[in-house]
Amino acid sequence: MKNLFGAIEAGGTKFVCAVGSGPDDLTEVRFPTTTPQETLGKALAFFAPYKGQLKSIGIGSFGPVDLQRNSPTYGFVTSTPKPGWADTEFAGVFARLFDLPVGFDTDVNGAALGEQRWGAAQGLDNFIYITMGTGIGGGVVAGGKLIHGLVHPELGHMFVPKQPDDTFAGQCPYHGDKCFEGVAAGPAIGARWGTPAHELPADHPAWDLQARYVATALASLVCSFSPQRIILGGGVMGQAHMLNSVREKTVQVLNGYIQSPAILENINEYLVLPGLGDKAGILGAMVLAEQAFDNR
Amino acid sequence: MKNLFGAIEAGGTKFVCAVGSGPDDLTEVRFPTTTPQETLGKALAFFAPYKGQLKSIGIGSFGPVDLQRNSPTYGFVTSTPKPGWADTEFAGVFARLFDLPVGFDTDVNGAALGEQRWGAAQGLDNFIYITMGTGIGGGVVAGGKLIHGLVHPELGHMFVPKQPDDTFAGQCPYHGDKCFEGVAAGPAIGARWGTPAHELPADHPAWDLQARYVATALASLVCSFSPQRIILGGGVMGQAHMLNSVREKTVQVLNGYIQSPAILENINEYLVLPGLGDKAGILGAMVLAEQAFDNR
């Protein structure tokens, strides 16, 4: 019999909770993220019937989160602007009530692990999972393991050159139009063009500009991390025409500097969509559960 | 008796060769990098008397280099524009002639290892060594190990926003004024102001602009790798006033986004000069030698 794990993909707008052991036997529920009390209550209620059967629980959470194991607020959501959630204990609540090992990481780090185990990064030791939607974030695996470091990567806030034809002021509260998220997250697209990103038609100039920003950011990631592959998730990449445009422009922006066949000849296998589609997050949380069980 | 290792710091302008076991017992020679035949010949001649005593040899080389162990050109300098050096076998020559394990990596990766072992990154599992001089490059340690990935990091070619008061066209042959090296390496400074960087006085406006570029690049690195420390090497940082200016501006550019005391309170310990000064490279090559011996 397979081990049964609990998994939580805790997003800023919705929670996904699941039990299972992998992509083929997932039982899941989804509900909106409201107050911590209500939302964590629903999650606890979902897992309650499985108490005694689960080996461990994994949580991939929106952030910022505290991932320093020796910190008194390890496993907390920390300084988020999301109403009610600042300084909220998360992992510890589940550990105590279920008396189980709990794996805890960012939602994007979780998704990267899911893609490594069952998706588009199988067999890779160095890759990036980046998601571009309401915000921009990413998980980075180097030498087979997630990068944590001082806090955790915040790929949305790396700085990117402004495109010369873009007069939009940007909307990162911290970095204005200087960082990737400030000019290229979904809300920035909507604000720049006065129309929500998902309503902009495929032939709108918004997408050419967007692809240039994404390509520049990806080129920077290629030069800094030297990943073996980059997986592009999130709503912005859901636009069917974006993927090829981003591939083409990334090669153009790198301009032959990185002399690797992966980029010069096989860009279609280098820049890819998530193999798990929108299941990367919840399946990644399951990998976090499994790791917590193995390291218990 | 200590193990005796051979070490080569192979720079684009000079070679350093040494034997020893660490910072306290280094015997070294330096000579200019000319043709591969002459330069490798001098290196071979330096080590020849130690044949039979050395346990292994470590090489930190200018690049690009081939680090893929299963590649037919592993251990070669590959597509460098440096006259005579393109597609030159390097590591294999020493392995065959001395019949020893040879460690091989980029010069900046080597320097990062040197700093981790004996310098400013002791005890750290996640840090960056970046050097800014004739070119800009860096070594990145994540989870305790150097990042290699597809090729190896090329930190000088990450993209940075142009400073609004800078009209210089940039001089990266691949990325013009779009990448960090194109606007901020020593030759870019010299070309922008019409005076070699090392002749510009401390109160020249060049340094304020330079510190802003460096700060922006460092802020991007903080957001992408989340390092526990960044070590700033190279001639550009040799300007005594630069370090504090870069620290101050990096905090300004991040603008409170990364809520870590390391940045908000202890920036002087977060952005530091190499603990080994200009010995980081040769001592790093010694660590490469040691690793090659341990993994033989």
mmCIF file of all heavy atoms in Angstrom, chain B residues 70-91:
data_model
loop_
_atom_site.group_PDB
_atom_site.id
_atom_site.type_symbol
_atom_site.label_atom_id
_atom_site.label_comp_id
_atom_site.label_asym_id
_atom_site.label_seq_id
_atom_site.Cartn_x
_atom_site.Cartn_y
_atom_site.Cartn_z
ATOM 1 N N ASN B 70 31.296 14.888 -19.178
ATOM 2 C CA ASN B 70 31.132 13.885 -20.231
ATOM 3 C C ASN B 70 31.373 14.448 -21.634
ATOM 4 O O ASN B 70 31.117 13.785 -22.636
ATOM 5 C CB ASN B 70 29.733 13.248 -20.141
ATOM 6 C CG ASN B 70 28.644 14.314 -20.205
ATOM 7 O OD1 ASN B 70 28.950 15.503 -20.280
ATOM 8 N ND2 ASN B 70 27.393 13.886 -20.188
ATOM 9 N N SER B 71 31.851 15.691 -21.696
ATOM 10 C CA SER B 71 32.085 16.311 -23.002
ATOM 11 C C SER B 71 33.483 15.965 -23.509
ATOM 12 O O SER B 71 34.432 15.876 -22.726
ATOM 13 C CB SER B 71 31.929 17.834 -22.861
ATOM 14 O OG SER B 71 32.599 18.492 -23.913
ATOM 15 N N PRO B 72 33.631 15.801 -24.817
ATOM 16 C CA PRO B 72 34.972 15.531 -25.370
ATOM 17 C C PRO B 72 35.933 16.703 -25.152
ATOM 18 O O PRO B 72 37.152 16.517 -25.171
ATOM 19 C CB PRO B 72 34.726 15.301 -26.868
ATOM 20 C CG PRO B 72 33.329 15.725 -27.140
ATOM 21 C CD PRO B 72 32.578 15.758 -25.847
ATOM 22 N N THR B 73 35.391 17.901 -24.957
ATOM 23 C CA THR B 73 36.263 19.053 -24.717
ATOM 24 C C THR B 73 36.217 19.502 -23.254
ATOM 25 O O THR B 73 36.499 20.666 -22.950
ATOM 26 C CB THR B 73 35.909 20.233 -25.651
ATOM 27 O OG1 THR B 73 34.518 20.542 -25.496
ATOM 28 C CG2 THR B 73 36.210 19.900 -27.093
ATOM 29 N N TYR B 74 35.886 18.583 -22.335
ATOM 30 C CA TYR B 74 35.953 18.919 -20.904
ATOM 31 C C TYR B 74 37.365 19.399 -20.561
ATOM 32 O O TYR B 74 38.349 18.789 -20.988
ATOM 33 C CB TYR B 74 35.606 17.704 -20.030
ATOM 34 C CG TYR B 74 35.929 17.961 -18.575
ATOM 35 C CD1 TYR B 74 35.090 18.743 -17.783
ATOM 36 C CD2 TYR B 74 37.104 17.471 -17.991
ATOM 37 C CE1 TYR B 74 35.394 19.022 -16.468
ATOM 38 C CE2 TYR B 74 37.432 17.750 -16.661
ATOM 39 C CZ TYR B 74 36.563 18.526 -15.904
ATOM 40 O OH TYR B 74 36.874 18.807 -14.605
ATOM 41 N N GLY B 75 37.432 20.491 -19.805
ATOM 42 C CA GLY B 75 38.743 20.983 -19.389
ATOM 43 C C GLY B 75 39.441 21.841 -20.418
ATOM 44 O O GLY B 75 40.607 22.192 -20.258
ATOM 45 N N PHE B 76 38.730 22.191 -21.476
ATOM 46 C CA PHE B 76 39.272 23.089 -22.502
ATOM 47 C C PHE B 76 38.830 24.534 -22.219
ATOM 48 O O PHE B 76 37.752 24.767 -21.675
ATOM 49 C CB PHE B 76 38.707 22.733 -23.890
ATOM 50 C CG PHE B 76 39.403 21.602 -24.593
ATOM 51 C CD1 PHE B 76 39.568 20.362 -23.977
ATOM 52 C CD2 PHE B 76 39.858 21.762 -25.900
ATOM 53 C CE1 PHE B 76 40.175 19.304 -24.650
ATOM 54 C CE2 PHE B 76 40.470 20.715 -26.577
ATOM 55 C CZ PHE B 76 40.631 19.482 -25.961
ATOM 56 N N VAL B 77 39.658 25.487 -22.629
ATOM 57 C CA VAL B 77 39.176 26.839 -22.873
ATOM 58 C C VAL B 77 38.509 26.790 -24.244
ATOM 59 O O VAL B 77 39.092 26.247 -25.190
ATOM 60 C CB VAL B 77 40.336 27.865 -22.871
ATOM 61 C CG1 VAL B 77 39.842 29.249 -23.262
ATOM 62 C CG2 VAL B 77 41.014 27.897 -21.511
ATOM 63 N N THR B 78 37.288 27.291 -24.355
ATOM 64 C CA THR B 78 36.525 27.073 -25.593
ATOM 65 C C THR B 78 36.508 28.298 -26.518
ATOM 66 O O THR B 78 37.488 28.576 -27.182
ATOM 67 C CB THR B 78 35.101 26.580 -25.266
ATOM 68 O OG1 THR B 78 34.449 27.541 -24.447
ATOM 69 C CG2 THR B 78 35.157 25.237 -24.542
ATOM 70 N N SER B 79 35.387 29.041 -26.534
ATOM 71 C CA SER B 79 35.207 30.057 -27.589
ATOM 72 C C SER B 79 35.767 31.427 -27.228
ATOM 73 O O SER B 79 35.212 32.445 -27.611
ATOM 74 C CB SER B 79 33.725 30.173 -27.934
ATOM 75 O OG SER B 79 32.983 30.563 -26.785
ATOM 76 N N THR B 80 36.838 31.508 -26.487
ATOM 77 C CA THR B 80 37.374 32.811 -26.083
ATOM 78 C C THR B 80 37.883 33.607 -27.292
ATOM 79 O O THR B 80 38.463 33.038 -28.225
ATOM 80 C CB THR B 80 38.538 32.642 -25.085
ATOM 81 O OG1 THR B 80 39.045 33.934 -24.765
ATOM 82 C CG2 THR B 80 39.671 31.816 -25.689
ATOM 83 N N PRO B 81 37.682 34.932 -27.256
ATOM 84 C CA PRO B 81 38.276 35.775 -28.289
ATOM 85 C C PRO B 81 39.783 35.976 -28.074
ATOM 86 O O PRO B 81 40.466 36.531 -28.932
ATOM 87 C CB PRO B 81 37.537 37.105 -28.124
ATOM 88 C CG PRO B 81 37.055 37.127 -26.716
ATOM 89 C CD PRO B 81 36.846 35.691 -26.315
ATOM 90 N N LYS B 82 40.322 35.525 -26.953
ATOM 91 C CA LYS B 82 41.753 35.743 -26.654
ATOM 92 C C LYS B 82 42.606 35.007 -27.689
ATOM 93 O O LYS B 82 42.520 33.787 -27.822
ATOM 94 C CB LYS B 82 42.057 35.242 -25.247
ATOM 95 C CG LYS B 82 43.414 35.715 -24.776
ATOM 96 C CD LYS B 82 43.625 35.514 -23.299
ATOM 97 C CE LYS B 82 45.075 35.818 -22.970
ATOM 98 N NZ LYS B 82 45.464 37.208 -23.283
ATOM 99 N N PRO B 83 43.468 35.758 -28.419
ATOM 100 C CA PRO B 83 44.194 35.173 -29.554
ATOM 101 C C PRO B 83 44.939 33.886 -29.190
ATOM 102 O O PRO B 83 45.710 33.869 -28.226
ATOM 103 C CB PRO B 83 45.172 36.281 -29.959
ATOM 104 C CG PRO B 83 44.534 37.549 -29.492
ATOM 105 C CD PRO B 83 43.774 37.187 -28.245
ATOM 106 N N GLY B 84 44.704 32.851 -29.946
ATOM 107 C CA GLY B 84 45.423 31.598 -29.777
ATOM 108 C C GLY B 84 44.812 30.623 -28.793
ATOM 109 O O GLY B 84 45.149 29.440 -28.791
ATOM 110 N N TRP B 85 43.916 31.104 -27.941
ATOM 111 C CA TRP B 85 43.417 30.271 -26.850
ATOM 112 C C TRP B 85 42.114 29.541 -27.158
ATOM 113 O O TRP B 85 41.700 28.660 -26.388
ATOM 114 C CB TRP B 85 43.237 31.107 -25.578
ATOM 115 C CG TRP B 85 44.535 31.381 -24.895
ATOM 116 C CD1 TRP B 85 45.398 32.403 -25.156
ATOM 117 C CD2 TRP B 85 45.144 30.608 -23.848
ATOM 118 N NE1 TRP B 85 46.500 32.330 -24.343
ATOM 119 C CE2 TRP B 85 46.360 31.231 -23.523
ATOM 120 C CE3 TRP B 85 44.772 29.448 -23.153
ATOM 121 C CZ2 TRP B 85 47.213 30.735 -22.540
ATOM 122 C CZ3 TRP B 85 45.615 28.955 -22.165
ATOM 123 C CH2 TRP B 85 46.820 29.590 -21.872
ATOM 124 N N ALA B 86 41.425 29.898 -28.251
ATOM 125 C CA ALA B 86 40.156 29.227 -28.535
ATOM 126 C C ALA B 86 40.399 27.732 -28.706
ATOM 127 O O ALA B 86 41.364 27.322 -29.378
ATOM 128 C CB ALA B 86 39.506 29.819 -29.775
ATOM 129 N N ASP B 87 39.542 26.917 -28.072
ATOM 130 C CA ASP B 87 39.611 25.457 -28.194
ATOM 131 C C ASP B 87 40.974 24.891 -27.779
ATOM 132 O O ASP B 87 41.568 24.066 -28.471
ATOM 133 C CB ASP B 87 39.282 25.032 -29.635
ATOM 134 C CG ASP B 87 37.931 25.587 -30.063
ATOM 135 O OD1 ASP B 87 36.984 25.488 -29.271
ATOM 136 O OD2 ASP B 87 37.846 26.151 -31.168
ATOM 137 N N THR B 88 41.450 25.361 -26.640
ATOM 138 C CA THR B 88 42.745 24.898 -26.123
ATOM 139 C C THR B 88 42.550 23.925 -24.960
ATOM 140 O O THR B 88 41.906 24.253 -23.973
ATOM 141 C CB THR B 88 43.569 26.113 -25.613
ATOM 142 O OG1 THR B 88 43.868 26.955 -26.724
ATOM 143 C CG2 THR B 88 44.862 25.656 -24.951
ATOM 144 N N GLU B 89 43.151 22.740 -25.081
ATOM 145 C CA GLU B 89 43.082 21.794 -23.972
ATOM 146 C C GLU B 89 43.937 22.321 -22.819
ATOM 147 O O GLU B 89 45.031 22.828 -23.028
ATOM 148 C CB GLU B 89 43.592 20.410 -24.392
ATOM 149 C CG GLU B 89 43.332 19.386 -23.297
ATOM 150 C CD GLU B 89 43.835 17.991 -23.653
ATOM 151 O OE1 GLU B 89 44.664 17.869 -24.570
ATOM 152 O OE2 GLU B 89 43.370 17.034 -23.008
ATOM 153 N N PHE B 90 43.407 22.197 -21.597
ATOM 154 C CA PHE B 90 44.101 22.771 -20.450
ATOM 155 C C PHE B 90 44.240 21.696 -19.350
ATOM 156 O O PHE B 90 45.329 21.169 -19.106
ATOM 157 C CB PHE B 90 43.316 23.995 -19.966
ATOM 158 C CG PHE B 90 44.042 24.909 -19.030
ATOM 159 C CD1 PHE B 90 43.582 26.214 -18.819
ATOM 160 C CD2 PHE B 90 45.192 24.503 -18.349
ATOM 161 C CE1 PHE B 90 44.245 27.079 -17.951
ATOM 162 C CE2 PHE B 90 45.855 25.363 -17.481
ATOM 163 C CZ PHE B 90 45.377 26.646 -17.281
ATOM 164 N N ALA B 91 43.131 21.324 -18.734
ATOM 165 C CA ALA B 91 43.202 20.382 -17.608
ATOM 166 C C ALA B 91 43.850 19.055 -18.017
ATOM 167 O O ALA B 91 44.700 18.513 -17.301
ATOM 168 C CB ALA B 91 41.797 20.134 -17.051
#
